Structure formats: C-alpha cells, structure tokens
Amino acid sequence: MNDASKWQAVLERDATADRRFVYGVLTTGVYCRPSCASRRPRRENVRFFDDPAAAAAAGLRPCKRCRPLERWQDDPEIALLLALCRRIDAAPDELPDGIALARAAGRDVFQLNRLFKRYLTITPGDYIENARMRRVRHALRHSASVTDAIYDAGLGSSRGLYERAPGSLGMTPKQYRSGGAGLEISHATGTTPLGLACIGATDRGICFLQFGDDPSALLAALAAEFPHARLTPMHDEARHAFDAWMRALNEHLEGRAPDLDLPLDLRGTAFQVRVWNYLRRIPYGEVVSYGEAAAAIDAPRATRAVASACASNRVAVLVPCHRVIRGDGGLGGYRWGLPRKRALIDVERRARAARPLTPD
C-alpha cells in the first residue's frame, strides 16, 4: 500500500487494513489502527508505519481507544509483551527490576531487553519505573497531601519520591501536584553575536535560552513555553550569575571557548531528554545526521521523532541541536533561523581547525 491508499483506508476506517499498518498522529503523540473510531486527524499531521514497533521507535504511544498493539497479539512476542506489561501495571513493586521480570517470564534478560526496546523503545526496568511513577502521579493528584501520596503510592518514605522527581516529574512533587503553578522562572535578556538572547532559569539551572530580535517577543515565547510558571525579572542578587553566563555564552559563540558548561534544568518527555542528552555529547565542531542521532540512542527508526525533539529544544546552544543536519548534507530546520544554524556550525568548524594539534 502506498501512502495515498493508506490514508484512504484511514478515512474509510477500513478494518481490513488493521493488520497491514498503523498511523501516527504527530500532534497527539499516539498511533492508531486504520479503523480507529477516534476523530480523524489532519493529513499533514499523519505518518504511516509498518507495525507498532516502528511507531514506538518514532516516540509514539498506542491509542487507548483502538489498542493497536493488541491487533498484533497473535504474534507470540507481542502476546508475551502485553502480558508482562499488564503484570507490571497491576503490581509494579512485585517485580522490582528487569532481572526479576525475566526470571518470572522464564526468559533471558537480554532477549527481554530486546523485546521491550523493539516495541516500546525502553528497557523492562524503565517500564517498571514508569509504572511506579504513574502510580505516584495518580497519588499526587488524588491524595490529601504529598505525605499521603508517598504512602498511597507504596513508597514507604519521602526519599524515594524526591530522588525520582527531577527526572520523572520534571519538577518537585509539590510543584507537580499544583500543576507547576508554583514554579518560579527568573529571566533576563542580553546581546550576543547572534542577536538578542533571553535566558530563563529556575533554582536548578537554565531551562530556556532562545534567540530573537525583540525583547517582548522573547518574553512571550518564554511565557508560551511555561504557561503555569511565575515569571519574574532576574533578581539583582542573581545578576552576577547571569552576567557570567552571558560572558561564557558570548565567548563560546565567538569560538574562543569550545566547552560551555552552564547549569541546566531540562524539562521534557523521557524521549526528548534522551535525545537532548545525546546532543550534548556531540563533539564541538562536528555534525551528525538525524538518522545517525536516532541510531546513537538505539532508536534507528525514530528519525522523525529525533527531528521533533530537536525542534522542541528550549535551550539553544547549551543543547546543541544545531549540530544535527539532514542525511543529504542540508541544514534541515532550526527554530531560531537557518542563518543562525549556519553561523554556529561555521564558527565551530573554524575554531576547531585553528586549534593547535595536541602532541602524542
């Protein structure tokens, strides 16, 4: 089937095509079978995949309405995966890690890892941790207090919750419980070789660094990214830190300081943070393709999802999404404009070429 016939099957909700492909909706982050009864998406937001594994590799999750993964359950691998996921969801603390899960399933640990990575893009241990955190999120929303939520979620103490919070909640448990409304982000704007730069920071680090030409437009972009946070101008006592950040940023943008090590507070989905952490490991002055980036994070079919994560990056330069280009050598996209992306790559390449060789 070509894309046109697949789209026609989606429009007609053709159940005979359910085992032939699934379609993903980029705006919702889910994938469905062609006969799904949900509202039809716009064509430009749809991508087609041969099977659920390919959709999952692209960072999409199965639709809860049509349950597309279960259409493949006569495959013994899928049947095993579904059974294990249901067991974990029902009692995530019963099997504390991937080793215990493999033992309960009577399978080799490495085989089970490959099965989960293929269809869900995460390890069994990650799935178990995610199930625990789903229970925590539910408890935080419905318990009378954070303390009650700790015990309702079966954690036993606050330590486990607060250790998991930065990576799993993206904020403290209290902030999550209140929808992030208590989060304070201080901001300030400065000049750089690439134009104005607005920096937004929490008490843990920089969560927003974007370029633009108008201070009010940059502030509006910050508010759009964090609609429930309290935005305040940078306090006087923090200006010295901001000035130091701007000096380091400008030296980096001028090619005089390849290493830029500023405190970060990355907030995104697990897949986005996985991509962003990889981007930070790309050597100064080098570029990779979107496909190479996908392969490097063990999701070789997730090229589009990697591109989407790059486009969602809120922290320019510190998370160097400009170092990812198209496979044919074209620049691809850049949310702050292709001239800035070209300038960043050119400065890094010149600076790298000018460095003296280190003797063996």
Side-chain angles (χ1 to χ4, degrees):
M1 299 179 71
N2 58 27
D3 283 0
S5 59
K6 289 176 181 177
W7 177 239
Q8 189 61 36
V10 172
L11 292 178
E12 295 174 359
R13 296 193 173 97
D14 183 359
T16 64
D18 281 353
R19 288 294 307 276
R20 304 184 68 182
F21 70 93
V22 296
Y23 70 92
V25 184
L26 302 186
T27 49
T28 61
V30 304
Y31 66 90
C32 304
R33 51 190 173 98
S35 64
C36 183
S38 60
R39 180 180 175 184
R40 293 186 186 92
R42 298 178 63 168
R43 176 63 184 88
E44 61 265 28
N45 296 327
V46 170
R47 298 293 182 272
F48 300 107
F49 302 94
D50 292 337
D51 54 40
L60 302 174
R61 62 188 185 279
C63 171
K64 292 183 179 179
R65 184 168 186 174
C66 69
R67 301 181 183 275
L69 194 58
E70 295 184 3
R71 304 297 289 187
W72 267 259
Q73 64 182 340
D74 55 345
D75 182 324
E77 279 195 337
I78 295 292
L80 173 64
L81 178 66
L82 289 171
L84 292 176
C85 288
R86 291 190 186 106
R87 182 168 179 176
I88 294 169
D89 291 340
D93 295 318
E94 181 182 302
L95 300 167
D97 52 36
I99 296 174
L101 184 66
R103 189 180 299 118
R107 294 298 181 97
D108 179 86
V109 172
F110 300 104
Q111 291 176 338
L112 208 60
N113 273 347
R114 283 197 297 269
L115 177 62
F116 272 75
K117 292 279 281 186
R118 180 184 178 192
Y119 288 101
L120 301 178
T121 72
I122 58 176
T123 66
D126 291 334
Y127 191 93
I128 291 169
E129 180 64 14
N130 289 344
R132 290 194 184 107
M133 291 311 300
R134 284 195 294 272
R135 178 179 289 186
V136 168
R137 293 186 186 99
H138 182 272
L140 285 169
R141 291 191 188 103
H142 297 94
S143 300
S145 67
V146 172
T147 301
D148 288 344
I150 291 168
Y151 294 101
D152 290 343
L155 293 177
S157 72
S158 61
R159 180 177 178 180
L161 176 56
Y162 279 86
E163 284 177 348
R164 290 181 172 99
S168 301
L169 300 178
M171 56 192 76
T172 68
K174 185 175 181 181
Q175 288 166 344
Y176 185 86
R177 181 173 167 78
S178 63
L183 185 65
E184 180 175 340
I185 298 176
S186 55
H187 58 86
T189 304
T191 57
T192 75
L194 296 182
L196 289 176
C198 178
I199 290 179
T202 68
D203 56 1
R204 283 187 283 177
I206 296 170
C207 62
F208 179 91
L209 195 169
Q210 296 197 12
F211 297 108
D213 302 310
D214 178 63
S216 59
L218 284 169
L219 186 56
L222 174 61
E225 293 285 359
F226 300 98
H228 301 298
R230 183 158 55 94
L231 307 181
T232 61
M234 192 76 68
H235 302 302
D236 290 341
E237 59 269 24
R239 289 297 302 195
H240 69 283
F242 172 77
D243 292 341
W245 292 346
M246 288 301 300
R247 283 195 300 271
L249 176 62
N250 282 330
E251 288 176 1
H252 180 79
L253 294 177
E254 292 164 0
R256 295 187 286 124
D259 298 323
L260 185 60
D261 186 18
L262 300 181
L264 277 176
D265 183 4
L266 297 181
R267 295 168 184 266
T269 67
F271 184 83
Q272 286 174 332
V273 172
R274 189 167 144 207
V275 173
W276 298 339
N277 284 333
Y278 165 72
L279 300 184
R280 296 172 64 202
R281 298 195 297 271
I282 300 174
Y284 181 85
E286 294 186 12
V287 296
V288 301
S289 69
Y290 293 104
E292 289 170 331
I297 61 169
D298 297 323
R301 289 184 285 184
T303 302
R304 291 183 183 275
V306 166
S308 178
C310 290
S312 302
N313 176 27
R314 300 184 182 96
V315 189
V317 182
L318 301 183
V319 176
C321 56
H322 62 275
R323 294 176 188 163
V324 188
I325 62 174
R326 290 204 317 242
D328 62 4
L331 286 182
Y334 195 57
R335 68 184 300 179
W336 302 289
L338 290 183
R340 287 190 174 102
K341 185 172 187 175
R342 168 53 66 194
L344 283 165
I345 293 173
D346 288 347
V347 165
E348 291 188 7
R349 284 178 170 167
R350 285 197 300 268
R352 180 167 177 156
R355 274 195 239 165
L357 294 176
T358 303
D360 295 332

